[in-house]
Amino acid sequence: MIDRRTFGKALGAGAVGTAAALSGRLPSAAVSEPAAPPGDRTGPAGGRGGEHTFLGPLKQVRAGELSIGYAEAGPAAGPVAVLLHGWPYDIHSYVDVAPLLAARGYRVVVPYLRGYGTTRFLSHKTFRNAQQTVFALDIVAMMDALHIEKALLGGFDWGARTADIVAVLRPERCRALVSVSGYLITNREKNEQPLPPAAEWAWWYQYYFATARGKSGLREHRHDFAKLIWHNASPTWHFDDATFDRTAAAFDNPDYVGIVIHNYRWRLGLAAGDPRYDGTEDRLAAGPAIAVPTVTLDGALDPFVPAGGGAAYRARFTGPYAHRTLKGVGHNVPQEAPQQFAQAVLQADRL
């Protein structure tokens, strides 16, 4: 979820960007994926899931200390869009975004983050580290392994934070950025400062995860826990069981619990990271500006997003910029509003 320090601030009015509309949904015949089995689609009219249920055969690539699982759509020679999921979600957040962008000529790469799906550590001896820097390094290593020189990066939740960090640390690898909830780079020192009680309430699960009971609870009830978060974070998204179950399978990764717990404990200063990245974390804690062309998105019903149309983080983006607040949309923006997310990608690439 987003940096807790941005929640509950007094905000002014923010700039609102606009985007040209996509020319309708992608025809199913143009989808670069095998046909789903009969009855394996949930139509948008039902309000439960998207048009597509299948991202395509999963691939694996050795990258850094991981074997990263990913799905891919679109022409191999097209401009690359790397789309990053958050917690507790997975690559299926982009199941409808990917074919829309593939139809526009993009090569779309959607990886499982460390601890999710088919992504695995290459060695059992590797520290199961989940501090913010390592997710960005994973994505750069994946781009290297796939010979991707430069990509548009898009993400929400953990994925937005990861994309933001790549844009800061390796701007030459980032052609443009779509960041849901804006600037999410964590400053752990600021995270130690309390918020008003009403604001703290939204982050209850972080404090639960700080306890041994919370770790056991996540291990024993990971699927029910995720479903509760989905309902709370996206109050108008009436997903069905099949939609949830497709994603919940990604939580059966053997490192899922360890990665989730370490991530949230590290953010609160309750767990150490890898000393090799101390210098990088110091740089990120200073709140460096992002200069690449950026579109930020907020779901108007997302309980973790401050009011104000992006004003809380506007100054952090110093390059070409646009912002959109999506009415009736909660936290999982790409899956709740795939057309709007795809529009943001096209707009960011034109800035």
Side-chain angles (χ1 to χ4, degrees), residues 18-24 97 100-101 104 106 152 178 295 297 324 326 337-350:
T18 59
L22 288 171
S23 56
V97 174
L100 287 170
L101 294 178
R104 289 301 189 102
Y106 284 86
L152 184 147
V178 175
V295 173
L297 300 173
R324 300 179 67 203
L326 306 180
Q339 294 247 5
Q340 291 94 323
F341 191 94
Q343 288 168 4
V345 169
L346 297 179
Q347 184 180 17
D349 224 5
R350 294 193 299 262

Side-chain angles (χ1 to χ4, degrees), residues 238-327:
H238 303 300
F239 56 88
D240 59 14
D241 287 343
T243 297
F244 177 78
D245 291 344
R246 276 189 292 273
T247 286
F251 311 149
D252 294 332
N253 184 299
D255 295 307
Y256 171 77
V257 172
I259 289 296
V260 172
I261 294 299
H262 186 261
N263 179 277
Y264 286 110
R265 290 184 180 180
W266 177 86
R267 289 197 222 176
L268 294 175
L270 302 176
D274 190 324
R276 293 179 297 170
Y277 307 126
D278 286 352
T280 301
E281 293 294 353
D282 288 343
R283 178 183 173 190
L284 295 174
I290 293 175
V292 304
T294 299
V295 173
T296 57
L297 300 173
D298 286 343
L301 300 181
D302 185 344
F304 306 101
V305 171
Y313 48 74
R314 174 63 184 93
R316 300 294 189 185
F317 298 95
T318 58
Y321 177 80
H323 173 81
R324 300 179 67 203
T325 297
L326 306 180
K327 295 181 180 180

Side-chain angles (χ1 to χ4, degrees), residues 35-60:
D40 191 31
R41 295 189 183 276
T42 302
R48 297 168 296 172
E51 180 180 348
H52 305 94
T53 63
F54 186 55
L55 272 168
L58 287 176
K59 303 179 181 181
Q60 295 289 137

